[in-house]
């Protein structure tokens, strides 16, 4: 025999429970740490010229965390804006439209940023 409370315990209002909440918090911590890494790395460079940043990004110890920062940032953007869309899009068709546009922005922007970093890391220029 199961009580109503035991059936819903841990599920939360969306049925996802605490897992989504924890994933957003862990993503925020990763974003914070990677942002601190980026600022500290940029402060250690002698200058912030295009050629110096290109040389810096050719190092795998700079390119890999930069790619992680890009992925984490766009994932965080998607989750934050998705919450806003879920809260304020009142019609299902409007919600689907905004979520589709958001997906194009997030995946397109993230892939473009990752492509630019990879292109610089492998010896080309960003644009």
């Amino acid at each position: 025999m199961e009580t109503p409370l035991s059936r819903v315990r841990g599920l939360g209002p969306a049925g996802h429970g605490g897992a989504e909440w924890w994933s957003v918090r862990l993503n925020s911590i990763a974003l914070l740490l990677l942002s601190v890494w980026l600022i500290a790395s940029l402060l250690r460079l002698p200058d912030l010229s295009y050629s110096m940043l290109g040389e810096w990004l050719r190092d795998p110890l700079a390119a890999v965390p930069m790619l992680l920062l890009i992925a984490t940032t766009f994932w965080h953007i998607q989750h934050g804006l998705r919450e806003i869309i879920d809260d304020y899009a009142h019609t299902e068709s409007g919600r689907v439209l905004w979520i589709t546009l958001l997906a194009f922005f997030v995946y397109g922007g993230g892939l473009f940023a990752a492509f630019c970093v990879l292109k610089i890391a492998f010896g080309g220029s960003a644009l």
Side-chain angles (χ1 to χ4, degrees):
M1 185 163 170
E2 198 171 24
T3 65
L5 179 61
S6 65
R7 273 183 281 171
V8 298
R9 186 168 300 223
L11 292 178
H16 300 288
E20 186 173 344
W21 185 86
W22 273 111
S23 67
V24 171
R25 296 316 176 266
L26 291 175
N27 180 268
S28 299
I29 292 169
L31 190 56
L32 176 68
L33 293 175
L34 288 167
S35 297
V36 168
W37 163 83
L38 177 64
I39 292 168
S41 297
L42 292 177
L43 289 175
R44 291 181 49 217
L45 292 175
D47 65 9
L48 296 177
S49 66
Y50 184 79
S51 60
M52 178 60 66
L53 290 175
E55 183 180 321
W56 173 69
L57 273 178
R58 284 185 190 91
D59 182 11
L61 294 177
V64 171
M66 183 62 75
L67 290 170
L68 289 172
L69 179 64
I70 289 168
T72 312
T73 300
F74 279 93
W75 188 88
H76 197 76
I77 289 169
Q78 181 182 24
H79 270 274
L81 292 177
R82 178 77 186 259
E83 286 293 320
I84 292 171
I85 291 168
D86 286 340
D87 288 343
Y88 293 105
H90 299 294
T91 64
E92 187 63 27
S93 61
R95 192 172 158 275
V96 169
L97 172 70
W98 285 110
I99 288 174
T100 303
L101 290 174
L102 176 64
F104 279 117
F105 167 74
V106 168
Y107 295 125
L111 287 173
F112 179 72
F115 174 77
C116 290
V117 169
L118 289 172
K119 189 170 181 182
I120 291 171
F122 290 125
S125 66
L127 296 174

